[in-house]
Amino acid sequence: MKTYLLFLTGDVLAKLYKDYGAKLMEANVRSFLSMRGKVNKGIRKTILDNPDRFVAYNNGLTATASSIELNTQGNIVSIADLQIVNGGQTTASIYYTGNTTPEAELRKVIVPVKLVVVDSAESKMLIPEISRFTNSQNKVAEADFSANSEYQVKLEQVSRTVLTPVEAGKRQTRWYYERVRGQYDSEKNRLQGALRKAFEEVNPTRQRIKMVDATKYLMCWQGFPEIASLGAQKCFAKFAEETNDEKIIQQVDKEYFKRLVCKRIIFDATHKSIKKMDWYRGAYQMNIAEYAVAKYSYDLYRANLQCDFSEVWNMQSVSPQMLGCLMHAAQQASDVINDEHRRVANCSEWAKRTECWEQLKKYPSCLDADPIETTTAISSSSSRTTRRAPLPEQSKAINFTQDAVPHAQDATPSVMSPQRQPSMSKRRTGESTSSMQTAQTKVSSPASAAAAPESAQLSLEDRRTYLTSIPPANWATFMRWCQHRPNPDSKSLAILAKIDHQIELTDDDVESLWNLRLKSIRRGFPASILSPR
């Protein structure tokens, strides 16, 4: 076979289609799909608005023939058995546009053509293969076209400059933002040996954030779970409409990226924990997670609570308090999504409706939930489905500026600020915010020491027993938290290092560590972590 590259003008191609019709495309895999399709509409628009750009915008045709005749100048003067095997939609769109719109200037339309001349003895085998392979390509998703936007490029650049917090004995890693589909694997696979191993250590697969997934985390956090439930591509399309704003692009910095990572951590913790709950019905896990994160963010807003993402970032995980609240919100979301009286029969379709989200917003706050340890079996013994009167209607206008949407503020860390935590506790219980109760009873055994109230007047040995009963993993978590606090106390870190290396504590160490524990809990560190198992 021989292959020729040539150009045809639109009027010549339209005349061929008019004269031969379907016979011209008997080897094509599809008939004309009408002008209502998105691609064919685009072809028509280019013909009418920018006919001189057609050759730049269009992939052109692939055609076959059994023989051609050339003149002395090398020009094709006749073609035998011409068949368009790829490009039938382009050909028909040009014809129908010219036929229905007389003002269309088809002479200005130039179409690139690859003509494969196949020997007649080989045509039965080769032409189907040419048709098959020229009509095959990797799918290009709509989101891929936004990968080169200024917002996405800047977010990728910033992500490469951010490393996870320092952790004793461990290498700092990076959350890899994959702006282009397949970028992570491509970058990894081009490396060999030690370089590839080093890349995987710094950029672990579990810390890859795909561009379309990042949109889901942001949309849920900003209070649009019904949009997140539309699916990755449609959700991204909604988001992309808003991210060309210069103000939004200017917000992209290291802190912006860290908050994005925290939202990913929160979403993953929610999604993974749902299937361990006893109320989970075995379906719609993703929808429930999307709605749970949105509900938690919304409840923080309406409780007028401000939280700090730095705790999630420093610990690279969620606290038991946060997980408890998220699971409470997830249980409420499950009740709404699986509601027998829902307006749509299919639960997944119901989750795509704004009415579903509005119904969930009427539920009580999820912030009064009990803590859930991430390392232990998760269950929910109590059902909190009591409803209350709906709150005032919130605006649904999508605005992706930082902290612009009221119930989408970046206000969900693992630990609430100490200034706001007491007022929140008063609202929940109507009692004093202190969980410490007066008790004069002496503790004489490890079991009783483990259950001692915070304010109990414990002896030195009781305190030692209490502190040594706390699991080493919990102390490691607490040590990381202390290391990332402003102006960390070197003496306290040294005592914690003794625990890490299983060195016996002196009496002074016990007193200092006990006071540090109480002080940290008052500042918002989870008391459940600094308690015996």
Side-chain angles (χ1 to χ4, degrees), residues 240-283:
E241 292 174 2
E242 304 293 331
T243 51
N244 291 323
D245 191 328
E246 187 64 30
K247 293 181 180 179
I248 301 172
I249 296 171
Q250 289 175 357
Q251 293 173 9
V252 179
D253 56 16
K254 290 184 178 181
E255 291 305 313
Y256 182 95
F257 180 71
K258 285 181 180 179
R259 289 194 298 271
L260 172 60
V261 171
C262 291
K263 292 167 186 175
R264 154 71 181 271
I265 292 172
I266 292 168
F267 188 92
D268 282 356
T270 304
H271 183 259
K272 291 177 182 178
S273 300
I274 286 172
K275 62 183 179 181
K276 302 176 183 177
M277 305 301 290
D278 57 11
W279 48 256
Y280 179 52
R281 307 186 188 186

Side-chain angles (χ1 to χ4, degrees), residues 139-153:
K139 181 182 178 181
V140 180
E142 189 67 28
D144 295 337
F145 296 110
S146 298
N148 294 319
S149 68
E150 186 177 355
Y151 170 85
Q152 295 295 341
V153 170

